[in-house]
């Protein structure tokens, strides 16, 4: 007998004429996933019947995917930060000083977003640093002058950027003009109060030029230092402050007091990267009196916002936004939008400050209130990986479900294929009874296979193929020779041709 085409019969072959579509050609095939409920066939009974086979198959596919989603959700939650606190402590400076006055403006701006800033006055930058280093101080952020830090002690501190210049004013009394710091060897110098940033900066510069006599260095600063200079009790004073500071205005206008024009300021700025050489134009302090009387070269440090390493990123962006509002304008020593900026300091620039200076404020915070923008940003950390798992999962879910059902049905095709191969090899007609028994076992297996109602067509198509093979076996059985044993009673009904 020539090999029938049924021996290579694919599941979706033309011998399944009653099948109008397959999951691959039916655009609604994937909707089978939702067919758990069916209307009852008995019109006298209301409600729906549950397709438990479909529910079981779907659960077997969905539950592992759900577990993957939960794991992804848990991993993402490990990277989400808690909501920002609604209060923090900012260490400032002496009451009435520039640091404290600026800190009050920061407090007022952050209050608009519901953040309470507790201001804690101090003696200056050095005390501010000590508070940041001390974990028990309760201080979270501080205003610190550049150049006063000890890098080995401040590895856990970050900078949010520089916010304005702090020029160093060196006023002196002398019959002749002085243009180098070396000329102050042996002179009486007021270099600022203990713990102040002025004193720390002055000591660095004086030690660099060899002025190290501690008996000549007096701990006077501000108005006390100005009084001592005017009274002739000291020969020079070091003051860090803005051109508008009252003590600077007073000394610039004092008779017999000179302002040091530092000729080698560029050399100092190269040796000390936190310093900048600035030119104070003639007459910029007082145009009517033409003060100063000529251009003067000064050295300037910068004031910086320094925070602890665990300072909340959302609060860091708020501080940077406030710094832009306060310090972005032009001044006597700075151009428009020159500050805040990422200038070189002893502190490592925080990631938030680096993004802010490179790209500006986060997109959401440009248009949304702080609390809403922060909520959305925190949720995105969870939702992005969640959708990264869910979207592919929902795409492969119907295919996985269909594969699971097909695998239970199509495994019987292997048995049918084996019988067809035996027929193709020309099996002896007396093997018909054995082959029919095996075919009956296959059919019972198909009948006992649990298949969801929406996939029942696969089982019915398989039964159609079983009948095709049975008819071939019966045709072979009719070819028994006359002297062969007749079919047994057990298979008498089986040998009847299939309709």
């Amino acid at each position: 007998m020539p090999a029938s085409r049924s021996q290579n019969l694919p599941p979706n072959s033309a011998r399944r004429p009653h099948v109008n579509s397959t999951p691959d050609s039916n655009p609604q095939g994937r909707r089978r996933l939702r067919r758990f409920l069916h209307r009852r066939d008995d019109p006298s009974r209301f409600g729906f019947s549950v397709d438990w086979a479909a529910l079981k198959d779907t659960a077997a596919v969905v539950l592992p995917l759900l577990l993957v989603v939960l794991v992804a959700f848990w991993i993402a939650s490990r990277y989400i930060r808690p909501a920002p606190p609604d209060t923090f402590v900012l260490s400032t400076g002496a009451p009435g000083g520039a640091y404290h006055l600026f800190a009050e403006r920061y407090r007022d701006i952050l209050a608009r977003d519901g953040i309470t800033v507790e201001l804690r006055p101090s003696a200056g930058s050095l005390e501010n640093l000590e508070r940041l280093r001390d974990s028990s101080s309760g201080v979270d952020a501080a205003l610190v002058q550049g150049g006063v830090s000890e890098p080995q002690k401040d590895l856990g501190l970050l900078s949010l950027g520089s916010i304005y210049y702090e020029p160093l004013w060196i006023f002196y009394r002398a019959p002749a003009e002085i243009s180098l710091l070396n000329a102050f060897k042996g002179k009486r110098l007021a270099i600022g109060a203990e713990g102040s940033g002025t004193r720390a900066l002055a000591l660095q510069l004086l030690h660099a030029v060899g002025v190290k006599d501690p008996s000549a260095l007096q701990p006077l600063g501000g108005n006390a230092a100005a009084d001592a200079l005017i009274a002739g009790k000291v020969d020079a004073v070091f003051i860090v402050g803005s051109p508008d500071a009252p003590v600077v205005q007073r000394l610039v206008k004092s008779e017999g007091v000179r302002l040091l024009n530092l000729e080698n300021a560029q050399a100092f700025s190269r040796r000390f990267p936190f310093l900048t050489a600035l030119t104070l134009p003639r007459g910029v302090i007082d145009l009517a009196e033409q003060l100063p009387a000529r251009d003067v070269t000064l050295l300037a440090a910068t004031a910086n916002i320094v925070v602890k390493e665990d300072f909340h990123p959302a609060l860091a962006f708020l501080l940077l936004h406030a710094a832009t509002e306060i310090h972005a304008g032009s001044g006597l020593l700075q151009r428009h939008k020159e500050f805040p900026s990422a200038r070189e300091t002893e502190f490592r620039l925080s990631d938030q400050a680096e993004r802010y200076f490179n790209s500006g404020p986060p997109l959401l915070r440009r248009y949304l209130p702080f609390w809403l923008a922060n909520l959305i940003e925190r949720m995105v950390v969870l939702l992005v990986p969640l959708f990264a798992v869910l979207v592919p999962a929902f795409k492969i879910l119907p295919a996985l479900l269909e594969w699971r059902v097909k695998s239970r049905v199509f495994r019987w095709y292997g048995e049918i294929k084996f019988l067809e191969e035996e027929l193709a090899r020309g099996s002896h007609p007396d093997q018909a009874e054995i082959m029919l028994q095996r075919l009956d076992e296959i059919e019972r297996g198909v009948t006992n296979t649990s298949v969801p109602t929406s996939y029942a067509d696969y089982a019915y198509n398989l039964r159609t193929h079983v009948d095709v093979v049975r008819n071939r076996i019966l045709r072979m059985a009719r070819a028994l020779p006359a002297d062969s044993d007749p079919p047994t009673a057990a298979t008498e009904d089986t040998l009847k041709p299939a309709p």
Side-chain angles (χ1 to χ4, degrees):
M1 178 183 296
S4 171
R5 289 184 300 170
S6 61
Q7 62 181 339
N8 297 318
L9 191 63
N12 298 322
S13 71
R15 307 192 87 166
R16 297 161 62 186
H18 61 284
V19 180
N20 296 325
S21 61
T22 67
D24 296 330
S25 61
N26 183 7
Q28 298 182 353
R30 297 188 183 275
R31 296 183 185 176
R32 299 184 181 200
L33 185 64
R34 300 194 298 267
R35 298 178 183 175
F36 303 127
L37 300 178
H38 303 273
R39 291 186 181 276
R40 297 185 184 277
D41 295 332
D42 187 354
S44 63
R45 301 178 64 188
F46 296 97
F48 296 86
S49 62
V50 179
D51 190 341
W52 294 107
L55 195 59
K56 180 180 177 181
D57 286 323
T58 303
V61 174
V62 170
L63 290 180
L65 292 177
L66 181 60
L67 181 60
V68 173
V69 171
L70 292 177
V71 170
F73 189 85
W74 178 81
I75 293 175
S77 67
R78 306 294 295 177
Y79 293 92
I80 190 172
R81 295 184 65 98
D86 57 4
T87 182
F88 69 92
V89 178
L90 176 64
S91 188
T92 62
Y99 281 4
H100 196 79
L101 293 175
F102 278 126
E104 290 177 341
R105 296 182 64 183
Y106 279 97
R107 178 190 61 192
D108 295 341
I109 292 175
L110 267 66
R112 301 198 299 246
D113 290 305
I115 304 299
T116 301
V117 182
E118 179 186 339
L119 304 184
R120 191 169 295 180
S122 71
S125 294
L126 291 180
E127 186 177 358
N128 288 347
L129 273 178
E130 289 298 328
R131 289 176 175 177
L132 286 173
R133 293 167 184 158
D134 184 4
S135 59
S136 63
S137 67
V139 171
D140 304 295
L143 300 179
V144 177
Q145 177 187 304
V148 302
S149 170
E150 300 177 47
Q152 66 276 12
K153 292 184 179 180
D154 300 325
L155 297 178
L157 303 181
L158 300 174
S159 170
L160 296 184
S162 303
I163 53 178
Y164 63 89
Y165 287 122
E166 291 193 295
L168 173 63
W169 308 84
I170 304 176
F171 293 99
Y172 64 96
R173 294 177 68 93
E177 184 177 347
I178 296 175
S179 59
L180 297 173
L181 282 180
N182 311 59
F184 292 119
K185 289 181 179 180
K187 302 293 185 180
R188 300 166 298 171
L189 307 177
I191 60 172
E194 294 286 350
S196 66
T198 301
R199 184 179 182 85
L201 177 58
L203 286 174
Q204 289 188 71
L205 300 182
L206 290 172
H207 288 173
V209 298
V211 179
K212 301 179 181 179
D213 183 7
S215 62
L217 307 179
Q218 301 186 22
L220 298 175
N223 286 320
D227 292 339
L229 180 63
I230 293 172
K233 296 180 181 179
V234 295
D235 299 310
V237 297
F238 288 67
I239 294 174
V240 173
S242 69
D244 298 325
V247 64
V248 173
Q249 293 281 335
R250 177 187 175 190
L251 289 175
V252 166
K253 297 176 181 179
S254 295
E255 187 176 352
V257 175
R258 299 174 184 267
L259 175 61
L260 179 67
N261 179 26
L262 193 60
E263 288 185 355
N264 60 347
Q266 290 291 346
F268 279 99
S269 67
R270 299 294 179 87
R271 294 290 299 274
F272 301 96
F274 58 86
L275 292 175
T276 303
L278 298 176
T279 299
L280 187 69
R282 175 182 176 180
V284 73
I285 293 179
D286 190 329
L287 286 172
E289 299 294 333
Q290 284 296 293
L291 298 176
R294 62 173 184 172
D295 290 353
V296 177
T297 302
L298 303 175
L299 281 174
T302 54
N304 306 277
I305 303 176
V306 181
V307 299
K308 290 183 176 179
E309 199 169 23
D310 60 353
F311 193 67
H312 199 286
L315 296 181
F317 280 117
L318 276 184
L319 276 176
L320 287 165
H321 177 75
T324 301
E325 184 174 336
I326 296 171
H327 304 290
S330 59
L332 296 181
L333 299 175
Q334 68 187 53
R335 299 182 302 275
H336 180 58
K337 292 187 178 180
E338 187 174 357
F339 291 101
S341 62
R343 293 180 175 269
E344 184 175 359
T345 65
E346 317 93 295
F347 307 100
R348 180 169 61 88
L349 192 67
S350 74
D351 295 338
Q352 293 76 36
E354 188 171 359
R355 289 199 298 269
Y356 185 88
F357 294 133
N358 290 335
S359 308
L363 179 64
L364 293 177
R365 299 187 188 183
R366 299 177 190 177
Y367 307 103
L368 299 177
F370 167 72
W371 67 269
L372 181 57
N374 181 67
L375 177 64
I376 294 175
E377 288 173 354
R378 292 171 63 233
M379 289 300 101
V380 165
V381 177
L382 290 176
L383 295 179
V384 167
L386 201 60
F387 279 112
V389 175
L390 282 178
V391 172
F394 278 115
K395 286 185 176 180
I396 67 173
L397 184 61
L400 286 176
L401 179 59
E402 189 167 311
W403 169 83
R404 178 179 170 82
V405 175
K406 284 182 176 180
S407 65
R408 292 204 302 267
V409 175
F410 287 1
R411 68 187 182 92
W412 298 108
Y413 276 102
E415 299 290 336
I416 298 176
K417 177 74 172 177
F418 181 75
L419 290 178
E420 285 194 316
E421 289 176 349
E422 288 190 5
L423 290 173
R425 286 195 298 266
S427 298
H428 195 274
D430 60 5
Q431 297 292 320
E433 183 175 349
I434 298 175
M435 298 176 72
L436 287 173
Q437 291 175 355
R438 288 168 58 188
L439 197 62
D440 290 340
E441 292 176 359
I442 294 174
E443 189 169 22
R444 284 194 297 270
V446 174
T447 303
N448 295 330
T449 299
S450 178
V451 178
T453 305
S454 54
Y455 289 92
D457 58 329
Y458 291 112
Y460 286 117
N461 290 338
L462 179 56
R463 290 176 181 175
T464 301
H465 297 158
V466 169
D467 289 340
V468 171
V469 177
R470 178 181 284 111
N471 288 332
R472 292 186 59 191
I473 296 173
L474 292 176
R475 287 197 298 271
M476 180 184 70
R478 296 194 194 98
L480 284 172
D483 56 350
S484 298
D485 294 333
T488 64
T491 58
E492 194 173 68
D493 296 333
T494 307
L495 294 175
K496 294 180 181 179

